[in-house]
Amino acid sequence: MLAKISDDIARFSDDRRPRVVFLGDYIDRGDDSRAVLQTLSGIFHIADRLKSETNLQIDFLVGNHEVALLEFLKNPITSSAWLDWGGLQTLASFGVSPTTANAGARDFQRVRDQLAEKLEPYMGFLEGLPRTVVSGKVVFVHASLDPACSLDAQPDEATLWGTPPSGRAMGMPGMRMVHGHFAASKPVSRPNRICVDTGAYYSGCLTAIRLDESEAFLSVTSADLSPISGLRQSGGGSAFTV
């Protein structure tokens, strides 16, 4: 997908500044969470240079899986449910011997300590991820927004889990919301929201969208897979969400 986005950016030769927004859930369930973190954290650490040299702006949002991982690192006993949400696959990708959610406290702590050591190079990336990003009249978020709250006071129940506490329909009046979290067989495009989650871990299909004067979905399937590489530097472009 990174290569496809880079190629699409390169198609444009006008003065627009490309912006790429990642919507979270970079870990769990898939087989190679470590490689994903290596790639994305690598991009994260050169994002300022990319922006100054190429006008390419890159934003990374946090998803509920990253938050669940961080909570496990803080307290592996009370937050052990993460293991059943795909955490076991993440452990395997880092070479940490797995445990189960009904294991003893000592085993949870052993797993936490081993994983924390492996994750040390990526903690600067994981701990600084915001909940939302706004560009004009478009707001990007992992799961949802609660229209009863301002953008600066959005609860985690909405942004991470897609369950606005107010019970009102998700979204933000006057803005278009771009999100993931709610997997479907095809991406969703409606006047008030766009969802790009196509359940890559089980469907084999990862989806992004380009937003400019129009919109265009980009997709990569498991049949297209090649070794993970970073965004190639290029000029021109639009805004993307993955």
Side-chain angles (χ1 to χ4, degrees), residues 93-106:
S93 75
F94 279 94
V96 176
S97 298
T99 184
T100 61
N102 57 3
R106 181 174 297 180

Side-chain angles (χ1 to χ4, degrees), residues 187-203:
V188 174
S189 177
R190 296 177 181 170
N192 65 326
R193 70 180 183 93
I194 296 170
C195 182
V196 296
D197 193 333
T198 47
Y201 80 94
Y202 66 85
S203 70

Side-chain angles (χ1 to χ4, degrees), residues 130-149:
R131 266 42 171 184
T132 60
V133 164
V134 176
S135 179
K137 292 294 185 179
V138 180
V139 56
F140 302 88
V141 64
H142 173 66
S144 181
L145 296 168
D146 190 332
C149 304

Side-chain angles (χ1 to χ4, degrees), residues 112-139:
R112 187 270 310 278
D113 292 345
Q114 292 180 358
L115 182 60
E117 182 178 357
K118 302 277 189 178
L119 284 172
E120 186 174 351
Y122 315 112
M123 293 304 293
F125 169 66
L126 289 169
E127 292 181 330
L129 299 173
R131 266 42 171 184
T132 60
V133 164
V134 176
S135 179
K137 292 294 185 179
V138 180
V139 56

Side-chain angles (χ1 to χ4, degrees), residues 143-172:
S144 181
L145 296 168
D146 190 332
C149 304
S150 68
L151 280 177
D152 294 333
Q154 287 292 313
D156 284 353
E157 294 94 329
T159 59
L160 299 177
W161 299 97
T163 54
S166 70
R168 294 168 56 182
M170 63 182 185
M172 184 61 57

